[in-house]
Each structure stands twice: as C-alpha cells, then as structure tokens.
Amino acid sequence: MCQYKTLTNLASFTPSGQLGQLFTQAKAYNQINIDLAKLLPSTLKPLELCLIKNNTAILITHNQAIAFRAQKQLVTLLELLIQIPALESITHIEIKININK
C-alpha cells in the first residue's frame, strides 16, 4: 500500500521549502491578476501579470494586437498597476506575447 496520504483538496496544501515559496507566489499573483482584471479597460482585459522583478512588472497576453495597444498605453497601465497595493513599487512595465496559447 502507498504510505502517502492522498490529497483531494489542494487549497490547504502548504509544502515547505522552495515549492512552498512557489505556491505562495502563485497565490499572490492570482490575487493580483484578479485585482488587475477589475481595473483594466475591456480592450486590455487579456493582459495578465506574469512576473515581478526589480520593480518591473511583466505582463503577458496571447494576442499581438492587445500587446501593441498595451505598448501604446504604458503610462496608463502603470497608473493602474500602482493602484494595487502589492504593486505600489512598480516603475517599469514590459509586455510579452505568449505564442503557445
């Protein structure tokens, strides 16, 4: 028999170490994306936060047209991002296109 207990609900699963840090970061990014979706105009809704590194927010989309629109509205996007408490220190935005989606 298997000595490990099977998990059916991963909501309360909290691994330790680096995996635990990744779970915590993923939960935080999911919450930020929920807040961001509420603030974004309908033309930019498909943008999602992908990474925060060195006060730079990297947003990702699957559509080149949306990426182009977002590039033209970086100042507006930055103003929206700093309204989210976890993103107050963001000073730069990069837009990336996910070609795998």
Side-chain angles (χ1 to χ4, degrees):
M1 285 264 129
C2 180
Q3 64 183 358
Y4 299 107
K5 181 181 172 185
T6 58
L7 292 174
T8 54
N9 183 359
L10 294 177
S12 61
F13 179 63
T14 53
S16 59
Q18 289 182 341
L19 183 60
Q21 291 173 356
L22 287 175
F23 266 74
T24 303
Q25 186 179 27
K27 287 179 183 179
Y29 280 14
N30 286 342
Q31 184 58 49
I32 290 170
N33 278 322
I34 290 169
D35 296 341
L36 182 61
K38 294 175 186 174
L39 296 174
L40 286 174
S42 60
T43 56
L44 298 176
K45 288 281 186 199
L47 283 174
E48 294 180 345
L49 180 68
C50 177
L51 180 66
I52 300 171
K53 187 174 183 180
N54 299 330
N55 293 334
T56 299
I58 299 174
L59 301 175
I60 193 167
T61 184
H62 64 279
N63 189 322
Q64 290 181 346
I66 292 169
F68 179 78
R69 267 186 243 137
Q71 287 287 352
K72 299 297 180 190
Q73 300 180 37
L74 287 178
V75 174
T76 305
L77 280 173
L78 185 59
E79 291 171 354
L80 290 175
L81 285 179
I82 60 176
Q83 291 179 19
I84 300 172
L87 302 178
E88 290 174 340
S89 63
I90 297 299
T91 58
H92 185 70
I93 298 174
E94 291 182 19
I95 309 294
K96 305 282 184 178
I97 301 169
N98 181 3
I99 58 173
N100 295 327
K101 213 170 192 186

